Amino acid sequence: MTEAKDERRPAGELEASVMAALWAAGAPQTPGQVQLSLGADLARTTVTTILSRLYDKGVVERHRHGRGYAYLPVQDVQDAHGLTARRMHSELDRDSDRETVLARFVAQLSPDDERILRDLLESDER
């Protein structure tokens, strides 16, 4: 039992792999198509579960395809950076005291990141 546990992937690695497959495809993909593109020893049911979880998180859309679904990334999550930004926003939404959460986030930024954030907030390109 410990062997199987030791072989588990880090949290989020499968989701990231599935998202990479969807981005690379550039078109809606069924769980079977995603499974083939991953080329890993994953069961189709595992891929379906991951896609369902991503759908529940609002990261992918799904459309009827036969008896199942075909999945594609939502518009604002078209790359890894968009996915990270969406996760950050979701975490912020979980706490009712947004000001404290943002203050603690900013307090932990490096001087370079703080400068980048300041520049972004002051720019007219938002």
Side-chain angles (χ1 to χ4, degrees):
M1 185 164 154
T2 25
E3 264 184 51
K5 185 179 180 190
D6 291 341
E7 292 177 20
R8 290 184 65 115
R9 292 172 180 86
E13 184 179 309
L14 280 177
E15 286 185 0
S17 296
V18 167
M19 289 301 297
L22 291 174
W23 290 320
Q29 298 289 292
T30 65
Q33 291 169 319
V34 172
Q35 177 193 24
L36 285 174
S37 67
L38 291 175
D41 291 333
L42 291 175
R44 190 180 49 76
T45 54
T46 301
V47 175
T48 301
T49 299
I50 294 165
L51 287 165
S52 294
R53 288 180 182 164
L54 290 169
Y55 174 77
D56 290 342
K57 292 177 182 182
V59 177
V60 298
E61 298 173 356
R62 67 182 182 193
H63 304 284
R64 272 280 176 211
H65 185 84
R67 293 185 345 199
Y69 293 99
Y71 296 82
L72 69 157
V74 296
Q75 197 60 35
D76 64 337
V77 184
Q78 291 299 317
D79 58 17
H81 301 300
L83 180 59
T84 301
R86 186 158 187 122
R87 283 183 186 155
M88 291 168 60
H89 195 274
S90 294
E91 288 299 318
L92 182 60
D93 285 345
R94 290 183 190 185
D95 198 304
S96 59
D97 189 357
R98 293 173 78 90
E99 184 175 345
T100 301
V101 172
L102 286 169
R104 289 187 179 167
F105 174 76
V106 170
Q108 295 175 13
L109 292 175
S110 70
D112 287 341
D113 288 342
E114 187 176 337
R115 179 190 49 76
I116 292 168
L117 182 58
R118 211 177 283 283
D119 290 347
L120 288 169
L121 291 171
E122 292 172 356
S123 77
D124 291 335
E125 297 178 26
R126 287 191 286 164

